[in-house]
């Protein structure tokens, strides 16, 4: 995803295709988000953005590592059938974000 497209998407706020997470969330909550996107038309989760204000706060290196592991483990262990989200690290104004893209699933329904 290009930086300008990402900035525009963040400025538009959350919707049915875009969700913001300030930091790591529980595997159970992430699995619910993955399942919802996989069962619908897909979407993205952006970590490092405050959901209520759309403020870009960024993530530390440690948070990026933790979230990366969380994404992989959740996609394989907490969703049936497993999904394969794409994870991209991107910087905006020296603030690091993680963009997780979840495709419209082909093996519906997906459950947690």
């Amino acid at each position: 995803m290009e930086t300008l497209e990402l900035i525009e998407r963040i400025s538009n706020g959350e919707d049915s295709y875009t969700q913001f997470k300030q930091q790591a969330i529980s595997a159970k909550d992430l699995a619910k988000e993955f399942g919802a996107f996989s069962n619908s038309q897909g979407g993205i989760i952006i970590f490092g953005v405050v959901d209520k204000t759309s403020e870009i706060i960024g993530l530390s290196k440690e948070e990026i590592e933790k979230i990366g592991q969380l994404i992989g483990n959740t996609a394989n262990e907490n969703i049936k059938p497993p999904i394969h989200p794409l994870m991209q690290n991107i910087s905006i104004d020296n603030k690091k974000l993680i963009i997780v893209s979840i495709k419209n699933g082909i093996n519906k329904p997906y459950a947690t």
Side-chain angles (χ1 to χ4, degrees), residues 16 19 21 25-47 67-87 98-112:
S16 296
Q19 291 292 303
K21 303 298 173 202
I25 60 176
S26 72
K28 181 179 178 180
D29 289 340
L30 185 59
K32 288 178 186 177
E33 297 277 358
F34 283 174
F37 280 138
S38 296
N39 284 324
S40 62
Q41 298 299 312
I44 64 169
I45 301 170
I46 305 171
F47 286 90
I67 292 168
Q69 289 178 340
L70 173 69
I71 291 165
N73 291 342
T74 301
N76 288 322
E77 297 171 14
N78 296 78
I79 297 286
K80 302 296 179 219
I83 64 167
H84 306 286
L86 298 176
M87 186 178 116
I98 295 176
I99 292 72
V100 183
S101 300
I102 300 99
K103 292 184 179 181
N104 178 2
I106 58 172
N107 295 316
K108 295 177 187 178
Y110 293 86
T112 59

Side-chain angles (χ1 to χ4, degrees), residues 8-70:
E8 181 178 341
R9 204 153 176 184
I10 291 170
S11 70
N12 288 335
E14 291 184 313
D15 58 26
S16 296
Y17 302 98
T18 308
Q19 291 292 303
F20 303 145
K21 303 298 173 202
Q22 186 170 331
Q23 58 198 13
I25 60 176
S26 72
K28 181 179 178 180
D29 289 340
L30 185 59
K32 288 178 186 177
E33 297 277 358
F34 283 174
F37 280 138
S38 296
N39 284 324
S40 62
Q41 298 299 312
I44 64 169
I45 301 170
I46 305 171
F47 286 90
V49 177
V50 179
D51 62 349
K52 291 182 179 20
T53 64
S54 300
E55 177 188 358
I56 299 170
I57 58 170
L59 301 165
S60 69
K61 183 178 179 183
E62 292 78 21
E63 288 173 312
I64 290 171
E65 289 175 7
K66 179 180 178 180
I67 292 168
Q69 289 178 340
L70 173 69

